[in-house]
Amino acid sequence: MNAKHILTGLCLTFALAACDVLDQTPESNFTPENFYRNADDAKAAVSSVYDLMNTAEMYNQIVWILQDQATDDSEWGGGRSTANQAKNDLDKYTFTPATSTFQSLWTTTYRAINRANTVITRVPTVAMDSDLKNRMVAEAKFMRGFYYFNLVRLFGGVPLVTKETTSLNDLAVARASVDEVYQQIIQDFTEAEAILPVTYAAGDRGRATKGAAKAFLAKVYLTRQEWPKASAKAKEVMDMGVYDLWANYADVFAIANKNGKEAIFEVQALGGGVGEGSFMQGYMRPNFDRVNGVSGFGDDPVTENLYRAYRADDKRRNINLRLYTSTGTPAAPASVAFPCYVYKYLDPAATANGEGSNNFPVLRYADVVLMYAEALNEQTAASAEAYSNVNRIRSRAGLPNLTPNLTQAQFRDSLLLERRLELAFEGHRWFDLSRRKKLIDAMKIQNPTIKVEERHYLYPIPQTERDVNPKLDQNPGY
């Protein structure tokens, strides 16, 4: 989208919105009062809200570390690198409130929220086309809801800041309740849904849409186990006639299909050396696999547990994962006990790590279909429509229909497995295990030496935040 081509390092606010200036103009020249003059300024401000998604501190942390390495899908060890202590601590559940991952994610997310707050406050005052103005405010509300949705699922109640931060005074804000945060999230997505367009012209694809707002509302309601609302909102997305499944699972991740018919919301990546490429390129590929002369880093090594969860005839397995051998090309070193790595984000044309052109699928249509089936099952045990939708996903994977006549609990477990296989390494596993209270059981099966406890259903509030904000209390057990 055009957001990836616009100067995004404009200093729009103070404090939480500290940002990187891309030219040599003094920061003091960029203030809210003299910056918001026209539509181009407003567009740049909205672009800056999106921009922080594609950073090491944001989707690097949420996807690779918190969502994968802290689950049964990925585990460091067996000959893999142990150099990054923070990642090892997340992987083995030895993390503490001082673990750097939490601070970097927290800080970046609140920077993004403050940028959204600034847009919501300042853009209405700009002299410009009213429809475009309303859309930009709706985009900012969508993004604010999106960022808070990540925070509340990871940390529980968090400081709820909905006004622009304009000074260093009164920055100590107490945690809101979980319900209060969710009320704001639902309000933001609902207000965005009413304004956002169904689609965009080619140059703006990737921005938040009406369908994305509906889909995230469905996920919010699913997380809160408000099953009728979840199924109704998912059905609204399905009835829009905008989205569909690709016939071939591999087509979902083809670079040529970015922002295609299955994409509802994606982190945009622009490779080719412009500095806004995909973080998946290189990081997830092992260091013994060189592409265009560049080796990978081997993050998110895949567990044998996940690999064996796929049937041999499941078409998704060899698209999502690659199991290397000691005799293959490239050959896996004998020191790696189970040399399996994420494969779905490879860009064969990339000439540097972090420069892939792959978008990251934050939420796609297959997820909505599975959410719909899950919500239906919780209302009417294993309904025919729930079966039909799960079987749509299984059919594309080359699998037979789900076993009929399952109990509600059996269908629930089958659905959770289907989500694991379909959405592998797309940033959902920890959230799914957490909301279903399956994290402890799953990790016991994966590695019984890793001690996962009830407190781990939330991550700790970063210690550095508590050091400067006496109003922040800690999650139980930390």
Side-chain angles (χ1 to χ4, degrees), residues 146-280:
F146 166 78
Y147 290 125
Y148 270 123
F149 189 34
N150 283 335
L151 286 176
V152 74
R153 289 183 292 171
L154 294 170
F155 300 106
V158 294
L160 191 58
V161 182
T162 58
K163 301 296 183 182
E164 175 189 12
T165 301
T166 57
S167 78
L168 297 178
N169 297 323
D170 301 320
L171 292 180
V173 180
R175 298 174 67 177
S177 70
V178 168
D179 283 342
E180 288 171 332
V181 178
Y182 270 114
Q183 288 171 12
Q184 184 62 52
I185 293 166
I186 292 169
Q187 179 179 324
D188 279 343
F189 282 141
T190 300
E191 292 179 1
E193 175 192 9
I195 301 296
L196 291 173
V198 173
T199 60
Y200 289 91
D204 280 327
R205 286 178 186 165
R207 292 182 178 275
T209 62
K210 187 179 296 292
K214 290 177 181 291
F216 271 103
L217 278 169
K219 190 170 283 288
V220 168
Y221 292 134
L222 194 84
T223 302
R224 290 174 60 80
Q225 299 189 358
E226 298 181 46
W227 307 118
K229 291 181 179 180
S231 61
K233 199 53 72 170
K235 190 65 163 59
E236 287 180 23
V237 178
M238 298 165 71
D239 288 344
M240 291 178 71
V242 175
Y243 309 104
D244 201 358
L245 300 176
W246 291 99
N248 184 350
Y249 184 73
D251 288 342
V252 177
F253 311 102
I255 293 172
N257 293 334
K258 293 199 303 185
N259 302 311
K261 64 181 180 180
E262 195 161 333
I264 294 179
F265 192 61
E266 298 186 337
V267 175
Q268 303 296 299
L270 186 63
V274 300
E276 301 205 10
S278 168
F279 277 94
M280 272 61 71

Side-chain angles (χ1 to χ4, degrees), residues 38 270 278 284 301 343 412 442:
N38 53 48
L270 186 63
S278 168
M284 292 182 172
Y343 198 59
R412 183 184 300 137

Side-chain angles (χ1 to χ4, degrees), residues 249 309-320 394 396-399 418 421-422:
Y249 184 73
Y310 288 95
R311 290 174 37 148
D313 57 347
D314 192 324
K315 296 177 181 178
R316 298 171 295 194
R317 186 186 69 180
N318 293 340
I319 295 168
N320 289 338
R394 292 176 61 85
R396 179 172 69 173
L399 301 180
E418 206 61 45
L421 304 178
E422 173 71 21

Side-chain angles (χ1 to χ4, degrees), residues 72-73 80 302-309 337-338 340 446:
D72 51 352
D73 283 356
R80 284 131 175 163
V302 178
T303 60
E304 188 170 358
N305 178 319
L306 174 58
Y307 186 84
R308 302 300 178 200
F338 189 71
C340 191
Q446 161 55 28

